[in-house]
């Protein structure tokens, strides 16, 4: 059987997803207790963009209806630290894994990256645009919205997983058919 098809194949399975899920749940409980708000990242990106716009083009932000509608001035807050910690933690985890995670992702160890940094940044920008349109990001809906029992989050989260699973299967099947693995 091909080990590339099974993300947890091999002796080094990494940390338990159940343990990680429990840790994220405790982080969310802590955020609700301390800040009266669950965890999510789109607000931090929004604040960062607004802070940058105020520095780079202060006159332009006064004509932007979206920025004018905000009750509070943008600031670097705990959500910003959460995003920064997520990025730094991901980099530290990748370095600690020593590149061994490539097999777990279904790519050959000596293959070139499938996406360029520019394509990744463009995808991230589209994701954040969609998150602003939906008034929340995937993590905010999936973690905090469902924890609060929000109907929109309970509708969105299963659909997010279903569409993501279908796209992953289709993409992986196409790569295997085209000889990409």
């Amino acid at each position: 059987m091909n080990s590339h098809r099974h993300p947890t194949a091999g002796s080094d399975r990494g940390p338990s997803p159940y343990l990680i899920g429990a840790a994220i749940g405790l982080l969310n409980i802590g955020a609700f207790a301390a800040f009266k708000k669950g965890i999510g990242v789109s607000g931090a990106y929004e604040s960062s963009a607004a802070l940058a716009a105020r520095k780079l083009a202060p006159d332009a932000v006064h004509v932007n209806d979206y920025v004018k509608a905000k009750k509070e001035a943008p600031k670097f807050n705990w959500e910003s630290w959460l995003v920064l910690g997520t990025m730094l933690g991901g980099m530290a985890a990748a370095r600690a894994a020593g590149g061994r995670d490539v097999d777990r992702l279904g790519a050959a160890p000596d293959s070139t990256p499938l996406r360029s940094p520019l394509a990744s940044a463009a995808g991230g920008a589209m994701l954040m645009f969609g998150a602003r349109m939906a008034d929340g990001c995937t993590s905010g809906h999936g973690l905090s919205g469902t924890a609060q029992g929000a109907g929109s989050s309970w509708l969105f989260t299963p659909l997010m997983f279903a569409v993501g699973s279908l796209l992953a299967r289709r993409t992986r099947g196409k790569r295997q058919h085209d000889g990409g693995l």
Side-chain angles (χ1 to χ4, degrees):
M1 180 165 15
N2 185 349
S3 66
H4 291 296
R5 295 184 53 94
H6 301 286
T8 57
S11 59
D12 183 19
R13 292 178 167 239
S16 165
Y18 302 109
L19 180 65
I20 293 171
I24 291 172
L26 290 173
L27 178 64
N28 205 21
I29 290 169
F32 275 116
F35 306 109
K36 309 289 185 258
K37 186 175 180 186
I39 58 176
V41 297
S42 62
Y45 285 108
E46 176 188 347
S47 293
S48 299
L51 281 171
R54 285 177 184 233
K55 293 286 185 196
L56 299 173
D59 295 333
V61 296
H62 298 295
V63 297
N64 186 317
D65 291 333
Y66 182 76
V67 175
K68 284 194 298 189
K70 292 293 180 185
K71 293 179 177 73
E72 290 183 23
K75 58 187 175 256
F76 192 87
N77 58 15
W78 71 273
E79 291 174 310
S80 304
W81 285 110
L82 176 68
V83 171
L84 185 61
T86 300
M87 289 190 284
L88 293 174
M91 289 176 8
R95 183 166 295 246
R100 297 173 303 187
D101 281 357
V102 175
D103 284 338
R104 294 170 67 193
L105 296 175
D110 58 347
S111 67
T112 59
L114 299 175
R115 288 169 187 72
S116 71
L118 182 59
S120 296
M126 288 189 288
L127 182 85
M128 292 315 300
F129 178 74
R132 288 295 81 206
M133 288 181 62
D135 199 23
C137 61
T138 53
S139 60
H141 277 294
L143 297 172
S144 301
T146 55
Q148 295 176 76
S152 60
S153 295
W154 278 99
L155 175 66
F156 168 78
T157 303
L159 289 172
M160 172 188 64
F161 279 106
V163 170
S165 295
L166 290 171
L167 287 173
R169 286 177 186 263
R170 182 179 174 121
T171 302
R172 178 164 287 186
K174 180 165 177 38
R175 281 193 323 197
Q176 287 175 340
H177 183 275
D178 293 344
L181 283 179

